[in-house]
Amino acid sequence: RTFPLIPGEQAPMEAGDGITYTTLLTREEQVEVLNRLDFVLKNIIELRKEVEELKNSLQSLAGEIIGEVKSHLEETQKVTRRRRYPFPRERSDSTGSSSIYFTASSRGANTDDGESEGGYTTANAESDYDRESERESEEGEDEVSCETVKTARRDSLDLVNEDETVLVFDSTTEEEFGQLLQQADQLHSGNNQEKREGFQLLLNNKLVYGDQQDFLWRLARAYSDLYEITEDADEKKSYASDGKEEAEAALQKGDQSAEGHQWYAILCGQFSEHESIQKRIQAGYVFKEHVDKAIALKPDDPKSYYLLGRWCYQIAHLGWLERKTASALYEAPPTATVHDALQNLLKAEELSPGFSKAGRVYISKCYRDLGNNSAAVQWMNLASELPVITNEVAISALYLADTPI
């Protein structure tokens, strides 16, 4: 039965029904109800869109996983085939030892000689004993030969690396290396042009110091600087990718470098800016893991607490879609509160007062979210007292204010 919209208006009557109904709402109240219903309808439409987007994201994630598994299986099969048949083997009548001799291959050489992947040929690879063992299974024989070749090549590479190391330390001194690192640190703290000079300085010395951990994480930091300076999206992604590789190489030299963990985390965050939402969420987990390691290794470094505070703040403000996506990817989605963010940011300020202008801004945001407006105003005023520092962009280069993780 419908009801009249105008007070006092008589509703349509059915058989035996002569009662007059009047509305309980005024016209203004009716308009408010209609507005609220319209608001609810719009939210339902937006929710349906978010659900559809989440569905598409999960389908994309499933496709990526399938592609990665397929690629891994194909690569494994290729490696297996290369190991079983490293090169065509030449039979020899030699009755001597089974030593393997490597000679550089060149044009016009005998094409019967087997050429390895490294550009070397082999001769006298088998003895009479090897020929007698041909009665055994071909697969077993190939595996033995492959292991022999791999052992010899590994010994050869070890000798080359040792010679190169001696050459490096004979031609340079520890003092010169220290001066190079000091100069790189100074250029990193300068303006954009000085950052470019620092980046080029490190690139020019990579062949000499590329196996030193302190050099590698500084090179990764320089890539992060270039990421901040450039405006081109493709260049940004390239700098972040290359810098991430250098930071990873630094950590491969040893897991006890707090700076290596810091810059690996930062570059993961930068690189994830050009990835899908799933990749950004995964990068968030990696970021948190390496910042925690940096704090454990160097608990008096304010930068690590600042980075962790930023991470906690953004986790506390994750949207519905990001939380659902994280729940679909992980059994235990990341959790953090505004209070957690505030404690870490205050810790950075305690260790180094005025360490970060952005840090004080986020402290103000935390107090505002917690309802302490007077403290929020106080910290915003303190932030305004600090000058803008050029290298602060690199320190806060996660863009957490614009991304889920």
Side-chain angles (χ1 to χ4, degrees), residues 161-178 207-213 215 253:
N161 290 336
E162 290 175 1
D163 292 341
E164 289 179 353
T165 302
V166 172
L167 178 62
V168 168
F169 284 97
D170 283 346
S171 60
T172 58
T173 64
E174 184 176 353
E175 181 179 358
E176 290 173 340
F177 180 55
L207 289 178
V208 180
Y209 301 109
D211 60 342
Q212 301 297 315
Q213 186 177 57
F215 176 89
K253 297 294 181 181

Side-chain angles (χ1 to χ4, degrees), residues 217-237:
W217 71 254
R218 283 177 170 84
L219 180 57
R221 181 183 65 185
Y223 272 109
S224 179
D225 289 342
L226 268 291
Y227 177 95
E228 290 298 323
I229 293 172
T230 186
E231 298 293 337
D232 184 78
D234 292 335
E235 290 184 7
K236 279 181 172 290
K237 184 175 181 179

